[in-house]
Amino acid sequence: MTSPTPQQLRQWDNEHVWHPFTAMQAYREEEAPIIERGKGFYLFDVEGQRYLDGISSLWCNVHGHGVPEIDDAIREQLDRISHSTLLGLSSPPSIELAQKLVELSPPGLTKVFYSDSGSTAVESALKIAYQYHQQKSSKSEVRRLFGTVRGAYHGDTIGSVSVGSIELFHTVYRKLLFETVSVPSPAAFHRPENMSKEESIQHCFSEAERVITQNADQMAAFVIEPLVQGAAGILVHPDGYLKHVREVTSRFGIPLIADEVAVGFGRTGTMFACEQEEVQPDLMCVAKGLTGGYLPVAATLATDEIYNAFLDAPSAGKTFFHGHTFTGNPLGCAAALASIKLFKENQILDRVHSNSELIADKLSSLAEHPHVGEIRQKGQMVGIELVANRDPVACYLAEHRIGHLVTLAARKRGVILRPLGDVVVLMPAPAMPPNLVEELCDVAVEAIEEVTASVSLN
Ligand SMILES: *Cc1c(COP(=O)(O)O)cnc(C)c1O
């Protein structure tokens, strides 16, 4: 059998593949690279073109592509079995990984519920929290409100969309969603005009306290992306905010769901972002980087307190009736175990620290750029907010697709980026060596300079 030619692939792609989060009409005219293989921090397309992976293949890759230790772990598992179910049965990789995750996670999290994406990890957490209140030993009650932070992104299934609030993604589904109460993001780029930055942060701290307190007896859980709201544009929360939310929720016995899907596995400089504020969540969701970004495995970790509410005679009906077919897939769990081992062996967290400093230094040249509104960074998560005008702040028109243009300009220079609206995102893999991190920053700066100079504002 001969392989299809690049032209055939392009044609079939345009005829048959509906890409996620992709404006298809524009995509079909753009001839995006068709990635055929990866090695280290590079991707290669079917035409043999090489690209630096500047976004960790959508925020999940950790150690690079084709890493022998992870590939071998998957192959060894492949020789045993590719998939068997966790519904009523078990498997060695899923058991070992659960033990490992509990060891690595903030204290108090002792149980691991597997799924297969960040969305399903959050969806599971929401359902667990909801059911928990009805079955807890202290007092059975129905609590149906979830607390959220504005601008949150927790995934694309209807439950995870309900607790999210990114207008562009979520507005169209509004009537399908369940009710939530939200608090203002303490890192919003567009803050009220009459407030200084400090006043606005103070306002957000007190609003969080007020909203949680007022709805305390109805609140099933409070969901938060710890330290960084990723999809909202890499919004970096002020110090102490996560701890504050934990303190207020604890006061009222409200479970805290930490969505570590994006920030987990080293990206902010610690294994989990919660560690930086010594916060112990009641439920914690992990996905993206869990397998080193190789395979779709996710997990929702829970405390004994929550898990115990689901224990009783089978006939009592307290079982968690939820689970996806490929839950705890053995190939994926084997990859995750290998990835976690590499964190220590290759001192990945140290690398994140030095890379973070390097990035901050390289991007400082943009600080005064007339079209850069803000540079936000936590560890190796970076968002560069582009604006038509700095003071007063004026956004680019949506039809300019300014972030997208920067992506195309970077692609010409052999670097893959993907923006969030007008925010240029850099998300190098935690293990990326410094010379490639420098190259990534240099190309991003050049691309931003080229595009902002060429887009006419009239
Ligand atoms: C990506 C992301 C999700 C969704 O994960 P999927 O694997 O894409 O379903 C959930 N929460 C956060 C914070 C994310 O960044």
Side-chain angles (χ1 to χ4, degrees), residues 289-331:
L290 168 58
T291 61
Y294 277 56
L295 287 162
V297 175
T300 306
L301 283 84
T303 59
D304 282 342
E305 162 68 25
I306 288 185
Y307 172 84
N308 288 341
F310 293 77
L311 297 179
D312 206 337
S315 59
K318 292 187 182 173
T319 301
F320 187 43
F321 289 108
H322 180 108
H324 304 283
T325 304
F326 291 105
T327 281
N329 173 262
L331 291 174

Side-chain angles (χ1 to χ4, degrees), residues 48-127:
Q49 195 73 43
R50 188 184 83 166
Y51 303 92
L52 183 62
D53 185 354
I55 48 157
S56 306
S57 288
L58 231 292
W59 311 6
C60 64
N61 189 270
V62 176
H63 308 284
H65 301 280
V67 171
E69 290 88 341
I70 304 178
D71 286 359
D72 289 347
I74 296 170
R75 281 198 195 96
E76 277 172 33
Q77 181 57 38
L78 190 59
D79 287 337
R80 298 193 184 96
I81 190 168
S82 295
H83 184 68
S84 60
T85 185
L86 283 194
L87 277 64
L89 296 178
S90 204
S91 67
S94 64
I95 297 170
E96 280 181 60
L97 179 58
Q99 189 273 335
K100 211 54 188 173
L101 284 175
V102 167
E103 189 181 294
L104 289 173
S105 298
L109 297 166
T110 53
K111 301 292 188 276
V112 177
F113 185 86
Y114 286 111
S115 61
D116 48 27
S117 74
S119 306
T120 55
V122 171
E123 200 78 26
S124 304
L126 299 173
K127 286 176 72 180

Side-chain angles (χ1 to χ4, degrees), residues 220-241:
F222 192 95
V223 196
I224 189 167
E225 295 165 82
L227 305 192
V228 184
Q229 290 181 256
I234 318 292
L235 300 183
V236 180
H237 286 178
D239 288 346
Y241 183 74

Side-chain angles (χ1 to χ4, degrees), residues 21 58-59 116-122 152-157 160 224-226 228-231 259-263 285 287-288 296-298 381:
F21 278 105
L58 231 292
W59 311 6
D116 48 27
S117 74
S119 306
T120 55
V122 171
Y153 176 77
H154 296 292
D156 301 331
T157 56
S160 57
I224 189 167
E225 295 165 82
V228 184
Q229 290 181 256
D259 177 354
E260 291 252 2
V261 171
V263 292
C285 308
K288 291 193 168 96
V297 175
M381 303 177 82

Side-chain angles (χ1 to χ4, degrees), residues 35-50:
I35 303 302
E36 181 178 58
R37 62 197 173 85
K39 190 72 205 159
F41 303 89
Y42 287 105
L43 304 168
F44 297 84
D45 74 8
V46 289
E47 267 130 358
Q49 195 73 43
R50 188 184 83 166

Side-chain angles (χ1 to χ4, degrees), residues 17 41 49 59 62 190 239 245 292 360 369 395 401 427:
V17 182
F41 303 89
Q49 195 73 43
W59 311 6
V62 176
H190 299 280
D239 288 346
V245 167
H369 192 282
C395 297
R401 300 189 81 198
M427 188 90 62

Side-chain angles (χ1 to χ4, degrees), residues 10 13-14 19 26-35 45-47 51 408 411 416:
R10 171 87 52 217
D13 186 32
N14 283 345
H19 291 263
Y27 172 87
R28 296 194 310 192
E29 284 155 20
E30 265 163 20
E31 314 228 320
I34 301 173
I35 303 302
D45 74 8
V46 289
E47 267 130 358
Y51 303 92
L408 296 183
R411 194 184 289 168
I416 298 288

